[in-house]
Amino acid sequence: MSIMDYNGGGAMAVAGKDCLVLLCDRRLGVKMTAISMNHSKIYQVNPHLYLLLPGLATDALTVFQKLSFRINMYELEQGRKISAKVLSSMVSNLLYEHRFGPYFVGPIVAGLDPETGEVFLNGMDLIGAGERKKDFVFSGHNSDQAMGTAEALWEPDMSPEHLFEMASQAFLSACDRDAGTGYGAIVYIVEKDKVTQRILKGRMD
């Protein structure tokens, strides 16, 4: 088993019209043994900017702690909030610095510009090589299972509720077909003027 799959878990970010939906499952495990049923992989940088860190749970916490320090220093020096593009470069640099002893995480940087409504999605591998996407990004144990459903259901310029339904169907169906993820999902619906958090119920067996 890959060390990236040791704790299981998966995450997904989907773009809509002036909105963004983020999902992660609630399972934390050791191989196929469940440890917790309420473990989030979504880390909030500010109300319109998030970092999703599925992978090895201890490395995810370490990466976010190191990034929190760098983000605070950046905002103090620059006198402004960090943007999604800058955060993406910061994450990539941190991971590449440790390429010979990498952090076993698959980050997704997801942000929404509160003025223009432009969505920023960037998925990376464990050494920081990223790819900008305009539709959706997966990372984690259930990525292969979720891809086909998402490709079939996603459409451009979806409304927040329509996007939530599409993302929920794709993510929960992937969790049902993957033993390393599950126990429901945590969902963030990010819009220009508000952020809504929801909990999806899933199979608990």
Side-chain angles (χ1 to χ4, degrees), residues 32-95:
M32 291 296 108
T33 302
I35 302 298
S36 172
M37 295 183 289
N38 195 26
H39 176 70
S40 177
K41 292 93 178 166
I42 301 174
Y43 297 86
Q44 181 176 340
V45 177
N46 63 52
H48 294 95
L49 183 57
Y50 295 81
L51 181 64
L52 288 68
L53 287 170
L56 192 63
T58 50
D59 280 4
L61 290 172
T62 302
V63 167
F64 187 69
Q65 287 171 357
K66 287 181 176 291
L67 284 170
S68 295
F69 172 77
R70 296 188 183 196
I71 291 165
N72 289 336
M73 290 300 296
Y74 173 87
E75 292 182 346
L76 281 170
E77 290 174 358
Q78 299 295 323
R80 62 175 184 266
K81 292 292 185 183
I82 192 168
S83 67
K85 186 177 287 187
V86 173
L87 177 62
S88 185
S89 296
M90 193 178 287
V91 175
S92 182
N93 290 339
L94 174 65
L95 295 179

Side-chain angles (χ1 to χ4, degrees), residues 21-203:
V21 171
L22 313 171
L23 303 95
C24 74
D25 72 310
R26 302 171 69 192
R27 180 186 184 275
L28 173 66
V30 174
K31 298 182 180 178
M32 291 296 108
T33 302
I35 302 298
S36 172
M37 295 183 289
N38 195 26
H39 176 70
S40 177
K41 292 93 178 166
I42 301 174
Y43 297 86
Q44 181 176 340
V45 177
N46 63 52
H48 294 95
L49 183 57
Y50 295 81
L51 181 64
L52 288 68
L53 287 170
L56 192 63
T58 50
D59 280 4
L61 290 172
T62 302
V63 167
F64 187 69
Q65 287 171 357
K66 287 181 176 291
L67 284 170
S68 295
F69 172 77
R70 296 188 183 196
I71 291 165
N72 289 336
M73 290 300 296
Y74 173 87
E75 292 182 346
L76 281 170
E77 290 174 358
Q78 299 295 323
R80 62 175 184 266
K81 292 292 185 183
I82 192 168
S83 67
K85 186 177 287 187
V86 173
L87 177 62
S88 185
S89 296
M90 193 178 287
V91 175
S92 182
N93 290 339
L94 174 65
L95 295 179
Y96 193 71
E97 285 171 10
H98 294 82
R99 62 192 178 279
F100 298 118
Y103 294 116
F104 297 107
V105 293
I108 298 172
V109 176
L112 177 72
D113 189 313
E115 296 180 0
T116 65
E118 182 184 2
V119 175
F120 181 96
L121 294 179
N122 190 13
M124 302 181 198
D125 64 8
L126 77 173
I127 60 168
E131 181 184 7
R132 285 282 302 272
K133 302 284 284 188
K134 294 184 178 180
D135 44 12
F136 47 80
V137 184
F138 297 99
S139 184
H141 202 270
N142 64 343
S143 299
D144 293 341
Q145 288 82 1
M147 185 64 69
T149 312
E151 287 179 339
L153 296 177
W154 186 84
E155 300 171 359
D157 298 329
M158 297 173 79
S159 67
E161 282 301 319
H162 192 187
L163 192 68
F164 166 72
E165 289 292 336
M166 168 263 152
S168 300
Q169 292 288 342
F171 195 76
L172 286 180
S173 69
C175 289
D176 287 346
R177 290 179 281 125
D178 179 69
T181 55
Y183 300 151
I186 299 169
V187 185
Y188 286 81
I189 306 169
V190 184
E191 301 174 62
K192 284 183 181 181
D193 55 346
K194 64 178 180 178
V195 178
T196 307
Q197 185 177 358
R198 296 178 181 173
I199 301 294
L200 295 177
K201 291 185 177 180
R203 289 176 58 175

